[in-house]
Amino acid sequence: MKVIGSIRWIYVMALLMAGQRVAAQSHEEADGGGPGTEISVAANAISKNAIFDDAAKYIFEIKNPTANNQQGKVSYTVVGQDGEKLKSDSITVSVSAKSTGKYNFDIKASGPGFYKVNFMVNITDYDDTLHKAFGVQPEKLTSDHKKPDDFDDFWQKAKNELSDVEPQFQCIRMPSMCTPTCNVYLVQMQSLGNITIRGWLTEPVTKNLNKKFSVILCLPGYQIALSPIMTVGDPDVAFLTLNVRGQGNSREFINTRHDEFVIHHIDNKNKYVMRGVVMDCIRAMDFIFSRSELKHDNVFVKGGSMGGFLAMATASLDKRVSLCSAQSPIFADVRSLIKRVTFPITSINMYLKTQPGLTLDKILDNLDYFDVKNFAPNIKCKFLMSIGLLDTYVPPANDYTVYNSMTTTNKKIMVFRDYGHDVSPLYINLENAWMHDQFGLY
């Protein structure tokens, strides 16, 4: 379908924001001071997303607006996915006064995967290091770790337990939070273990008593309290922001310190906090389907980080999801995270020190049931993912492995070469346009 009207405007704004990001990248890489007065450097991959079929190709640029000639060297070091140093090299450079030098680098990789490359420049009046990352044939990445044989049975049992809990849905209008264009409701329900969870439903004000809204279920990042999302400017979409157990206004039953949430009952897969958290998301789907004013065939589930993991788990376990978007989902190919990241590995290691007899292998056996790569093959709805090549919480290789494990052909991944665990405004806007297009909202 062709996106028109207001969606075209969103797309144009996205392109403008992309242009602003390019400008910001150039400024960030040029740490030498203001333009036209001091030396600046940049290392630009010739691929817009820094993904290559073979060797990575970069152009290293040195701008020298000063009156002094600059001489020295540019060197680089390549680091593999598990932190191993793979290669180093350097070249001699000479940049005349008031001129620009450009130097080409072809950096060979050791097979499919993602690599970090640090460029170091040492010249007469300037020293700097630029941190970059690139991928080579990431579509070939696979996991070395198998899905538990009883994975599907484990989650079916959890869903059966949830169905035995009376949801007791409450939807309470909050007059003090409403606006002339948006109604705000406090949502409350009972979830797995009869734990109370809450969230916020916002709907556009309308005079049409038969109006039905497409709905976006927004799932939270780690220890993030979600607030109402006001529906200003979009008369066809309602938002449900869910605060899962232990987060936001759903903390009375589980109220851990920040770093302890991820390890709450991690030694028992049947009591682990994330089992209940995932079921909270399924209960939120139940709530959506209990509301007559919401379109039950237009449900978009989305989130970033832990919210990305939850969005994928929900879409995997609940075929009522129409669209799914995951931004840098955590718990991605968990066993390979051990050498690559600090979260949640640091918290797990600290917990192990307090539990004699408990081993990392036992915890990993439990976490296999919460690995997003094991949920991914069962996702059948249309799907969108974003990753940042500089992400230190979820390495791009891990999320790409998850993406490759999906069997649906209705999927797309967007790679942002200069982003970490944050989300590109370009992705947010294009994600919104994609949703409107798929739901026929013009």
Side-chain angles (χ1 to χ4, degrees), residues 89 204 208 221 270 314 370:
D89 204 353
N208 182 358
N270 292 303
T314 303
F370 304 90

Side-chain angles (χ1 to χ4, degrees), residues 398-411:
N398 288 62
D399 269 343
Y400 226 109
T401 295
V402 170
Y403 181 78
N404 291 342
S405 71
M406 300 182 71
T407 56
T408 179
T409 57
N410 291 317
K411 63 178 182 177

